[in-house]
Amino acid sequence: METLKVSTRSNPNSVAGAIAGALRASGAVEIQVVGAGALNQAIKAVAIARGYVAASGIDLVCVPTFADIQIDGEQRTAIRLGIEDRQHRRAEPLPQVDLGSFEIN
Amino acid sequence: METLKVSTRSNPNSVAGAIAGALRASGAVEIQVVGAGALNQAIKAVAIARGYVAASGIDLVCVPTFADIQIDGEQRTAIRLGIEDRQHRRAEPLPQVDLGSFEIN
């Protein structure tokens, strides 16, 4: 699954476009953030993306989980937001295209 | 539907307990936040609550939307997080108990 890294400097509208594209392409996408400012941009993007994909019949939902990651050798707690169509069953996943991981600014 | 107002001073574990209780009682709950710090506490609470309710067979998902609200006569943009069981159909809602609105610290 594609992972989008969102930061405090990320533009919510740009991230929303990336979410909508990935969701249409592969049925699910993951956002990873560290810190309150980055999470704020990510959640704004999710709220915007919900409108983008609604017309395609996608009922976008978000599943937040914690993740322990290393940044410059230091242990940090990230938040991962699984972004999926509500109907998407993780037990029987759709075929997914791995587009790799990149940061959106 | 019950609305929980979460602030930067809210304890994520306490909020998670309130989310789990409301979700079991009425099938859905709404969280309202203003600002990145409050949103951070709310999303941490949602991630924790997901674990609390999983044993009951509830697949907790989150639906973020924007809301224009007034605070002390000033227009502010709040974020509302609809917290639902993934299976919960908003088109055919479960009977819901209105427990009112309160702030959790």
Side-chain angles (χ1 to χ4, degrees):
Chain A
M1 195 191 316
E2 185 176 359
T3 297
L4 307 177
K5 289 182 184 162
V6 173
S7 79
T8 51
R9 302 175 309 281
S10 299
N11 179 307
N13 284 303
S14 307
V15 178
I19 291 171
L23 211 53
R24 288 196 191 100
S26 67
V29 59
E30 192 172 71
I31 299 176
Q32 183 174 294
V33 295
V34 176
L39 179 63
N40 196 38
Q41 299 306 82
I43 292 289
K44 282 191 270 184
V46 172
I48 295 165
R50 212 179 132 68
Y52 288 173
V53 299
S56 317
I58 296 175
D59 183 4
L60 186 160
V61 297
C62 170
V63 177
T65 51
F66 295 105
D68 290 323
I69 62 166
Q70 289 225 336
I71 298 180
D72 301 331
E74 283 192 30
Q75 198 76 11
R76 299 288 300 271
T77 299
I79 288 189
R80 287 208 183 118
L81 304 170
I83 312 294
E84 308 164 7
D85 185 0
R86 185 193 294 261
Q87 306 307 326
H88 178 63
R89 300 261 65 77
R90 270 169 303 165
E92 303 162 273
L94 295 172
Q96 283 172 9
V97 183
D98 187 354
L99 301 173
S101 171
F102 55 88
E103 177 162 354
I104 297 177
N105 292 309
Chain B
M1 197 192 312
E2 185 176 359
T3 298
L4 307 176
K5 288 182 184 163
V6 172
S7 79
T8 51
R9 302 176 310 281
S10 299
N11 179 307
N13 285 302
S14 307
V15 178
I19 290 171
L23 211 52
R24 288 197 192 99
S26 68
V29 59
E30 191 172 71
I31 299 176
Q32 183 173 295
V33 295
V34 176
L39 179 62
N40 196 38
Q41 299 305 82
I43 292 289
K44 283 191 270 182
V46 173
I48 296 165
R50 212 179 132 68
Y52 289 171
V53 299
S56 317
I58 296 175
D59 183 3
L60 186 160
V61 298
C62 170
V63 177
T65 51
F66 295 105
D68 289 323
I69 62 166
Q70 290 226 335
I71 297 180
D72 301 332
E74 281 192 33
Q75 199 77 10
R76 299 289 299 273
T77 299
I79 288 190
R80 287 207 184 119
L81 304 170
I83 312 295
E84 307 164 8
D85 185 0
R86 185 193 293 260
Q87 305 308 325
H88 178 64
R89 298 261 67 76
R90 269 168 304 163
E92 304 163 272
L94 296 172
Q96 283 172 7
V97 183
D98 187 353
L99 301 174
S101 171
F102 55 89
E103 177 161 356
I104 296 177
N105 291 309

